[in-house]
Amino acid sequence: SKVQIIGPKGSLDECIKVLHAAAVVHIETIPAPATVDALFQKLPMEKEKMLQKETLEKWAGRLRDVAHLLKEPGSYRTPRISPEEIYRRLEELAPVEAKVKSLRSEKDVLSEELVSIKRYERLLHGFAPIVSRLGGLKNFDIVGLTVEKTREDIPGLIDSEIKKITGGNYQIYVKDLDEKDVGIVLAYEKKYDAKVRFLLSGKSISEVRLPDEYSSLSLVEALKLMERRRAAIPERINAIESELEGISAGWYGLIAGLLKAVEDAVDEIGMIMYAAQTRFTFVIEGWVPVKMLGLLKAKFGELFGEKVLVRELEIKDEEVDLIPVHIKNPRIFRPFEVFLSALPPPKYGSVDPTPYVAVFFPVFFGLIVGDIGYGFIILLLSLYLRRRFKGREILSDIASVLSVSSVAAIIFGLLFGEFFGDLGHRLGIIHPFLFHRTEALKTTMVLTIGIGIGHVLLGIIIGIANHLSRGRRKEAGARGAYLVVILSFLFILAVLFNFLPRGFLTPGVVALVVSFIVLTALEGVLGPLEFLKALGNILSYLRIMAVGTASVVMAIVANRIGGLSEDLIVGIIAAGVIHALNVVLSVLSPSIQSMRLHYVEFFSKFYEGGGRKYTPFRKR
């Protein structure tokens, strides 16, 4: 139902709180065009409310930052915080926020320092022993250099040149640092520093540049301090992490609860922007499920009496497509709603395809996999994933879909007599109830084409029913003619291939010609093209046979390769690797192909996207 709520401006804030708590009204982002005339104007937000909203939004950002800095504990309780408590609890949290940011800042600085020290690891190992021996030399400068090994002449040249500059009053040590570089340590009297530095400015020589935090120290002091810090920093980081975990255990629930309360408060202030006004009244419009309208009216009547009016508005023809959609399926079908997440919601009054997907997707998946062993492995995997991702709706739904589909794979595996390909047959523990797929390709082909015919025709019939329910007689007639064209063409093929008596040929041809003319008259040139597309759609179901047969053949190949080995263990490993790869493919390929058959071949016959999702104004 489309509803309009009208009341005095003084009651607006209280009405918004009631709507928020009711959680059933999908409020329009702007008032519907029909009500915005000379009488109604946009309701401006008061300066005080705007400042309050900005303050709360800043706090929401700060709370998100603090929650991000803390590690979410395994379990915590989120308290319900009333609007009156928000500012008091925020003040309570301020010292915790400061402490968390301080600890994280310290941890980040220490982590960066540790990374920096680790970059000097090779220098520490190479230079530290030498520098330690030279540490007692007073009035001497100590310089560390690195030279590429490809320039073997550099150390000798440096030695001879330093000897000339210092008159032999120096010490030089050369040591391999790694496969690429050689380390050189020079010790010389400080009075020669300028000349030595000038000499060492060549492009092939790299002086060891210390990190900024060590730049004021000599090489000796810096390397010694690095050694000490390398041992001390991890201990301090561990202590900080323990402290943060303690804060998280005690405060994370309050932070999460406060964030929800603050966001709810921001939503309530922001809702003012969606209201219109007259001189003395406000108006809010939205959509409510019919069964909830009576309760909403009763609630407003109880709280406001006749001061605030909740009335149902007439829905105009041009507004039908604006009605929001709320999809609600029985619990067994609900996980299959995940397939609609890749599509825009269906339009109001059209068809929700979830129940059909819940029936056909597992069937297609089971037909393609059709193996008891593979089905059982996929079932165990899906049950583990469902438990692992219990709190994550989409991943949990995918796991649920996979578990139902794996049961279908086990059932078809029994019918086809497949257990890891032909392993069950080899061991004499299972035989096909229907047929073995690799030995009955023609039968499998007929079966999959028959499924394709039924699935495509069902889609067309659903489309006809959808058009009729929405009063679109012309579109329903065109879909009906489309259906007759396909059926009559299939009848003619059945007669030509001796599946039906010859007496059906003439009625089939007449029905085909008449329905073809009607389809062309109603749909134009697109009608015949749709017919050709439908034939292509039906043939597309052969992919069920093709992918399924490929999977069986791969399983048989795995068993034969395993059997070729003279060593039992090697044979089992070889077969196991191929079967493992086939299991992975048996999850991906059947899922992709089954989804494609639904999205392209089935949904195209009736699905009308472009709807708006029902999102009631509700508290977090």
Side-chain angles (χ1 to χ4, degrees):
S1 291
K2 183 181 179 184
V3 296
Q4 188 180 71
I5 301 162
I6 302 175
K9 286 183 185 177
S11 302
L12 176 59
D13 288 349
E14 194 59 34
C15 282
I16 287 175
K17 289 183 188 298
V18 173
L19 287 172
H20 211 184
V24 294
V25 183
H26 175 107
I27 297 174
E28 290 288 7
T29 53
I30 56 170
T35 63
V36 183
D37 51 26
L39 184 64
F40 289 97
Q41 296 176 349
K42 194 170 179 63
L43 185 65
M45 188 181 291
E46 297 169 7
K47 187 177 180 181
E48 182 186 342
K49 292 274 188 188
M50 200 171 289
L51 291 172
Q52 187 183 355
K53 184 169 180 279
E54 287 174 5
T55 302
L56 288 169
E57 284 173 342
K58 285 177 184 174
W59 261 111
R62 287 168 64 179
L63 289 167
R64 287 190 203 99
D65 289 344
V66 175
H68 180 69
L69 294 175
L70 291 172
K71 185 179 178 181
E72 185 176 345
S75 61
Y76 58 91
R77 191 178 68 84
T78 306
R80 286 182 176 273
I81 297 168
S82 66
E84 295 74 28
E85 290 182 277
I86 287 176
Y87 286 102
R88 178 176 64 79
R89 301 307 289 269
L90 287 173
E91 287 176 14
E92 209 177 294
L93 194 65
V96 179
E97 177 194 18
K99 181 68 174 174
V100 169
K101 288 184 175 178
S102 171
L103 287 170
R104 278 307 297 254
S105 177
E106 183 185 353
K107 182 187 172 184
D108 291 342
V109 169
L110 289 172
S111 298
E112 285 177 18
E113 185 182 351
L114 191 60
V115 169
S116 177
I117 290 172
K118 284 180 177 177
R119 284 203 300 267
Y120 286 82
E121 195 86 30
R122 64 185 188 136
L123 301 178
L124 285 173
H125 288 300
F127 288 168
I130 301 169
V131 170
S132 297
R133 293 202 299 272
L134 297 173
L137 297 174
K138 293 183 178 179
N139 299 318
F140 268 67
D141 268 340
I142 298 172
V143 177
L145 309 169
T146 58
V147 179
E148 292 181 6
K149 282 188 176 180
T150 53
R151 298 300 307 272
E152 294 177 357
D153 56 324
I154 295 292
L157 289 172
I158 291 175
D159 190 10
S160 63
E161 291 299 318
I162 296 291
K163 189 174 184 179
K164 290 177 187 176
I165 293 171
T166 63
N169 194 16
Y170 74 102
Q171 290 187 40
I172 184 169
Y173 298 88
V174 180
K175 186 172 181 178
D176 287 350
L177 295 177
D178 51 35
E179 302 104 15
K180 294 182 180 178
D181 294 323
V182 172
I184 302 172
V185 177
L186 286 173
Y188 53 86
E189 287 188 70
K190 290 184 179 179
K191 62 184 180 181
Y192 300 117
D193 187 54
K195 290 181 180 179
V196 172
R197 297 276 177 186
F198 180 76
L199 170 70
L200 300 177
S201 60
K203 292 182 180 178
S204 298
I205 304 168
S206 301
E207 184 179 349
V208 176
R209 300 289 180 187
L210 295 169
D212 291 342
E213 57 266 38
Y214 297 90
S215 58
S216 61
L217 303 175
S218 68
L219 184 63
V220 177
E221 294 167 333
L223 291 179
K224 286 180 178 178
L225 180 57
M226 279 186 192
E227 286 280 15
R228 292 197 300 271
R229 294 291 289 165
R230 185 174 58 175
I233 287 173
E235 291 181 14
R236 178 56 188 153
I237 288 176
N238 289 337
I240 290 171
E241 286 178 345
S242 296
E243 199 170 346
L244 286 170
E245 282 178 14
I247 294 171
S248 181
W251 291 89
Y252 197 92
L254 176 61
I255 292 167
L258 258 175
L259 179 58
K260 290 180 179 180
V262 168
E263 288 175 334
D264 282 340
V266 169
D267 286 347
E268 286 186 4
I269 297 171
M271 190 50 61
I272 294 170
M273 301 292 290
Y274 302 148
Q277 67 168 351
T278 64
R279 187 173 178 185
F280 301 108
T281 64
F282 73 86
V283 59
I284 294 174
E285 290 189 0
W287 305 91
V288 181
V290 173
K291 65 180 181 180
M292 302 303 297
L293 181 58
L295 293 172
L296 185 71
K297 286 182 176 181
K299 185 69 175 174
F300 270 87
E302 178 189 332
L303 294 172
F304 301 103
E306 296 182 356
K307 248 191 353 177
V308 177
L309 174 66
V310 179
R311 66 186 188 118
E312 187 174 5
L313 300 177
E314 181 187 350
I315 300 172
K316 298 180 174 61
D317 291 341
E318 62 270 18
E319 293 178 317
V320 171
D321 287 341
L322 296 176
I323 303 174
V325 174
H326 177 49
I327 293 173
K328 189 175 181 182
N329 283 292
R331 189 175 178 182
I332 193 171
F333 292 160
R334 210 161 292 158
F336 290 87
E337 290 176 7
V338 73
F339 288 99
L340 295 189
S341 60
L343 301 170
K347 284 186 178 179
Y348 183 81
S350 66
V351 180
D352 169 25
T354 304
Y356 303 102
V357 178
V359 172
F360 288 105
F361 182 89
V363 170
F364 294 167
F365 186 96
L367 272 169
I368 294 172
V369 177
D371 189 289
I372 299 168
Y374 289 176
F376 189 68
I377 290 174
I378 296 168
L379 177 61
L380 292 178
L381 175 65
S382 61
L383 292 175
Y384 164 75
L385 291 175
R386 192 164 66 177
R387 186 175 177 182
R388 172 72 176 78
F389 299 113
K390 193 174 182 180
R392 299 168 70 177
E393 188 178 355
I394 291 178
L395 293 174
S396 178
D397 286 347
I398 290 172
S400 297
V401 169
L402 205 56
S403 63
V404 174
S405 302
S406 63
V407 172
I410 293 170
I411 293 169
F412 279 107
L414 284 167
L415 295 175
F416 297 146
E418 292 177 24
F419 177 78
F420 292 105
D422 62 348
L423 183 61
H425 182 67
R426 286 177 173 221
L427 298 174
I429 59 175
I430 190 170
H431 298 282
F433 284 92
L434 291 180
F435 52 81
H436 197 290
R437 286 187 285 179
T438 56
E439 297 172 2
L441 289 179
K442 185 177 178 182
T443 304
T444 310
M445 185 184 296
V446 172
L447 174 66
T448 52
I449 288 179
I451 290 169
I453 291 169
H455 205 222
V456 169
L457 293 181
L458 176 63
I460 297 170
I461 292 167
I462 293 169
I464 294 169
N466 180 40
H467 286 309
L468 287 173
S469 68
R470 304 186 73 181
R472 301 171 179 169
R473 293 183 180 178
K474 181 183 176 183
E475 289 85 350
R479 293 280 98 181
Y482 181 39
L483 178 65
V484 175
V485 167
I486 295 170
L487 283 173
S488 55
F489 180 78
L490 293 173
F491 262 81
I492 292 169
L493 286 179
V495 172
L496 294 177
F497 285 97
N498 298 318
F499 288 109
L500 287 176
R502 285 281 169 181
F504 283 95
L505 183 61
T506 303
V509 171
V510 172
L512 177 64
V513 172
V514 173
S515 58
F516 193 86
I517 293 169
V518 172
L519 179 63
T520 306
L522 292 173
E523 294 273 276
V525 182
L526 292 177
L529 292 177
E530 280 289 314
F531 165 64
L532 294 174
K533 181 182 171 185
L535 295 180
N537 291 158
I538 291 169
L539 292 175
S540 188
Y541 285 78
L542 285 170
R543 68 185 65 240
I544 294 174
M545 179 204 75
V547 178
T549 305
S551 179
V552 182
V553 170
M554 191 167 178
I556 293 171
V557 168
N559 295 333
R560 289 183 181 174
I561 288 175
L564 291 174
S565 176
E566 294 180 1
D567 189 310
L568 178 63
I569 303 299
V570 172
I572 290 172
I573 292 172
V577 169
I578 300 173
H579 278 304
L581 175 60
N582 206 15
V583 168
V584 173
L585 295 175
S586 293
V587 173
L588 297 176
S589 292
S591 299
I592 292 167
Q593 300 304 335
S594 300
M595 286 166 63
R596 186 198 183 283
L597 290 172
H598 280 87
Y599 286 143
V600 179
E601 275 70 30
F602 187 57
F603 286 6
S604 61
K605 304 296 176 286
F606 65 88
Y607 189 80
E608 293 184 59
R612 297 198 304 159
K613 190 177 178 182
Y614 169 67
T615 50
F617 179 49
R618 58 154 53 107
K619 292 189 176 184
R620 286 171 173 77

